[in-house]
Amino acid sequence: MWEYTDKVKDHFLNPRNVGVMEDADGVGEVGSIACGDALTFYFKLDENNKIKDATFQTFGCASAIASSSALTEMVKGLTLEEAQKITNEDIADYLGGLPKEKMHCSVMGRDALEKAISCYLHEPEKKVEGEIVCECFGVTDREIERVVRENHLTTIDDVTDYVKAGGGCGNCHDRIQEIIDEILGNERPVRKKAPALTNLQKIKLIEESIEREINPTLKKDAGRLELIDVDGNRVLVRLGGSCAACAKSPVTLKHYVESRLRELVSPELVVEEVQ
Amino acid sequence: MNVIYVDNNATTMVAPEVLDAMLPYFSINYGNPSSMHSFGGNVAGAIQTARENLANLIGAAPEEIVFTSCGTESDGTAIRAAIESYPTKKHLVTSRVEHPAIKNLYEALSKKGYRTTFVPVDRSGKLDIDYLYNSLSDDTAIVSIMWGNNETGVIFPIEEISREIKSRGILFHTDAVQAVSKIPINVGETGVDMLSLSGHKFHSPKGIGALYIRKGTKFSPFMIGGHQERGRRGGTENTASIIGLGKAAELAAAHLADHGYDRVNRLRDKLEQALLAKVPNAMVNGDPKNRLPNTTSVAFEYVEGEAILLMMNEYGICASSGSACTSGSLEPSHVLRAMGVPFTAAHGSIRFSLSRYNTEDEIDVILEKLPPIIERLRALSPFWKKAMGT
């Protein structure tokens, strides 16, 4: 059983704006009966070129119907430029989220919207761009690339959830992995190395962190921490107040003080107690 | 809201008599059947009675029954036992419409160097028996063919197949998880070597099953351990569930003897006939003649199964679907695809599976609620009007 949000259930059980629009300005058809879901989306503009009305017809599961219904509500009152900016994630977010395996329903909504706008603008029917990668569901490399980039996908399962590619015979899994690798390889953010701190900066930062973050917490238990010295990455401290007599102080030191300082200053720091 | 449960091929209600029989084995009779003291020994006696009741249901001898944890364990044990017993034979045969317990096991074994044959079925789900016989060779370790299909209810002619396979000296196993208790079965007459069954499909709890192993069949255990089940399945017995399975078998045998399934069959036929009459573009998947008496798979064209199930759910009606969306896979069930059910129908296929606890009133509620649901979903579907040519 799928965990659908109340909003998905509502849009499924009470779909808005159902039906064929005879005098539509734009119509977008996506999906097929073989694939298990299909959507026809219609819209009409007002005199200010804003979307006055939108309707849909959908064959598919609860989330496909809910995504279509949501889309018709979302686009009303928007200019085409604004409508063009709607992403599949926006549709899913509008519904309070979709199960991961159902994200392709939101992608189908976005695709139908794009097609309907192209139809209105009399753009030539977009040829199937790129090469078919998934024969079972007729998905091209371009479509996979796009969904990987836009939704930050990292696995073949993700791609299957979003555009169905790879969900049939599985012969295309290697190719999908290649596409993911190419994109992740190209776009993997180069981890910026934090600029190395000078010794003086490091000591200052440790001092500040102890006063601002650590001592206020220790104070709750009537303890405090005194910085004695910094030697490379060794931070020498003395525990005072009630901490000095507390049997748990070595734990406090390692688990709390050291991890906070590593977080705030540098991951290489080691905290040591001096008597 | 009352629940109308017509998903009995998925699982069934534990019969009240079964629960009553089990309860003392959780509390007062908690002894280990292997113990020397009579406190444990009494439990061993009760397990023996359960074994006799189960054996009686399928026409076996009590010592031919091995209790397992589920149908999947029974299937896996049977196939692995065959492989271990005939290590030089590398060919395994089954059908294309088996339960995943067999299907996925065979696929896993084919990656380990076994040659597998998946025998096709025709449009009505009937097995291509010539194809099956032609695939056999000296290299065939085992043939495993299900007795009744879980999705369509189609029954395969196990007696006939078994006889032929046996005459060629090949081991024969049947997954009878859906057939046991619904149709009379007598393993003694059929000559099958091994048969899997599962308790929760006929009113005993989940987590208990059995494997019938014909006396004299070469066998090697899957679970190696203590001497339980005469060394054929190690591990302390699931005593309460075994007692429950025995009681359920006793009830099922009585129900079959009373022709109790005639009533279930009549309710199933009423549901099916009325749905076909009330809903245009609806059809039954599978051979209507050779079917389990409780099962029907009805395809509603141009609508999608998950949507139907969730709308029925609003009325407390519990059924299941062969559509892709319900399982999380993207393609309709392998059974419907193997039968060549067209996509227009496969995605909108709903399985109703009844039990002796269903009533005529419940069928009437389904007949009242379901046709408008289909109509509503078809009004949403872009294909319906096109198909109707309007």
Side-chain angles (χ1 to χ4, degrees), chain A residues 1-2 4 12-13 15 18 29 33-34 36 38 40 57-62 65 102 104 137 160 164 167-168, chain B residues 302-304 306-307 310-311 313-314 325-328 330-331 343-344 347 376-383 385-386:
Chain A
M1 176 124 202
W2 299 109
Y4 286 132
F12 163 60
L13 293 171
V18 175
E29 274 182 55
I33 206 155
T40 310
Q57 279 199 308
T58 291
F59 160 80
C61 57
I65 291 169
K102 297 287 192 175
H104 60 86
F137 291 100
T160 306
K164 297 190 174 186
Chain B
Y302 307 108
V303 285
E304 200 281 325
E306 184 204 284
L310 290 181
M311 285 201 173
N313 189 51
E314 292 294 300
C325 284
T326 47
S327 61
L330 291 168
E331 295 185 321
F343 281 115
T344 49
H347 286 294
R376 230 176 115 189
L377 288 169
R378 280 180 176 164
L380 279 174
S381 169
F383 300 118
K385 279 198 167 173
K386 274 182 209 162

Side-chain angles (χ1 to χ4, degrees), chain A residues 209-229:
Chain A
S209 304
I210 290 174
E211 287 315 314
R212 211 180 49 233
E213 297 278 334
I214 294 170
N215 271 333
T217 307
L218 295 184
K219 207 176 161 188
K220 287 180 201 151
D221 294 323
R224 64 169 277 106
L225 188 79
E226 195 186 338
L227 179 65
I228 305 296
D229 200 0

Side-chain angles (χ1 to χ4, degrees), chain B residues 202-220:
Chain B
F202 60 104
H203 308 294
S204 61
K206 294 158 190 69
I208 186 73
L211 178 65
Y212 157 83
I213 308 165
R214 175 176 295 278
K215 214 175 189 171
T217 304
K218 268 195 176 181
F219 184 75
S220 137

Side-chain angles (χ1 to χ4, degrees), chain A residues 105-126:
Chain A
C105 296
S106 67
V107 174
M108 189 171 77
R110 195 267 326 266
D111 288 351
L113 172 65
E114 279 184 359
K115 272 201 173 179
I117 293 174
S118 299
C119 156
Y120 169 74
L121 297 173
H122 299 293
E123 283 173 1
E125 175 84 17
K126 275 187 190 152

Side-chain angles (χ1 to χ4, degrees), chain B residues 29-40:
Chain B
N29 299 333
Y30 59 81
N32 188 326
S34 300
S35 297
M36 283 312 293
H37 42 72
S38 55
F39 182 65

